[in-house]
Amino acid sequence: MIVKSLVKKGEYHDSVTLMRVAKELAEQAEVADSAVVMGTPENLKLLESSGLRTPEMAGAGETDLLIVVKAPTEARAQALLESASGGLRKKTKAGAKGDGYRPKSLESALEALPEARLALISIAGRYAGDEAMKALERGLHVMLFSDNIPLEKEIELKTFAAARGLFVMGPDAGTAIINGVPLAFANQVARGPVGIVAASGTGLQEVTTLISNAGSGVSQAIGTGGRDVKKEVGGIMFLQGMRALLDDPQTQVLLLISKPPHESVLEKIRALARTASKPIVATFLGAEPA
């Protein structure tokens, strides 16, 4: 088998686009293994462990696109790389056509849509935190899909947002449902009485689907990002989400989803839960029920 890669410097694509192209590539004939990812340190480690890292990737960074394939011959591998690269170009062009004007910055987007109240940010981590702060300064709630954002920046963003009654969902927030609108990887589910705050995107996806399939529905689903319930962040957005849903007339039951929060954060959650007039169900995966 031949492992061959293509490195495209400075060509950034969001995770959703990359996953679609990666799926298409993996389904091609004679593909033994493949990947379509950005050159983050984590992705480079994964490629190394799976035997897909090549010398061409030396010096690759998080804004560089990596396409790699394992195939029987060099010619077949090259053809597959070209096919995947072409697939990305087509998806980028299709997205760029859209319906008319497509703003190139947050400022121009707000000029075109001054009534906007939420920004979904999906760019390289080194830039995402600053763009999130720009959005917060303009009074927007933020869903921060991007990862690789320093913990210190997350704390800064969430402290700033909480003081102004704004939400920062993320970093690395993959799922949310706000006023019935599914964001990022969220599914279209029935609306109903269950409001959810989750520090687990995949957990939020699964539970919202189960609730909908069981015949009930979701009022709001707020994804906070997994680090929110760690000691350093202190559950800033998890607690703010709880307060918002306790005040939300559409929400009759609160569901909390997370890996076990830090004990200091858990105590804050307990204290708030004791004041609640609505029933609360907590699923802290792996924690002792008590």
Side-chain angles (χ1 to χ4, degrees), residues 228-242:
D228 193 80
V229 293
K230 291 184 177 296
K231 178 182 179 180
E232 294 81 1
V233 184
I236 296 174
M237 286 297 134
F238 202 93
L239 294 162
Q240 183 155 303
M242 288 179 64

Side-chain angles (χ1 to χ4, degrees), residues 206-220:
E206 176 71 3
V207 171
T208 53
T209 303
L210 290 172
I211 289 169
S212 184
N213 290 346
S216 188
V218 175
S219 58
Q220 310 283 349

Side-chain angles (χ1 to χ4, degrees), residues 68-146:
V68 57
V69 65
K70 182 187 287 186
T73 66
E74 185 163 347
R76 180 57 179 156
Q78 183 62 40
L80 289 163
L81 289 175
E82 291 173 1
S83 174
S85 181
L88 273 172
R89 283 196 300 272
K90 287 179 182 177
K91 283 180 169 53
T92 302
K93 287 180 181 178
K97 288 179 182 177
D99 297 320
Y101 172 64
R102 292 179 66 85
K104 299 295 185 182
S105 68
L106 177 65
E107 290 77 12
S108 57
L110 285 172
E111 288 176 7
L113 196 67
E115 69 273 22
R117 291 294 174 265
L118 184 146
L120 195 159
I121 297 174
S122 179
I123 58 177
R126 70 170 72 178
Y127 311 114
D130 290 340
E131 289 301 309
M133 184 58 80
K134 288 180 186 177
L136 292 170
E137 289 171 346
R138 286 159 178 78
L140 298 174
H141 302 285
V142 170
M143 182 172 185
L144 199 44
F145 189 76
S146 307

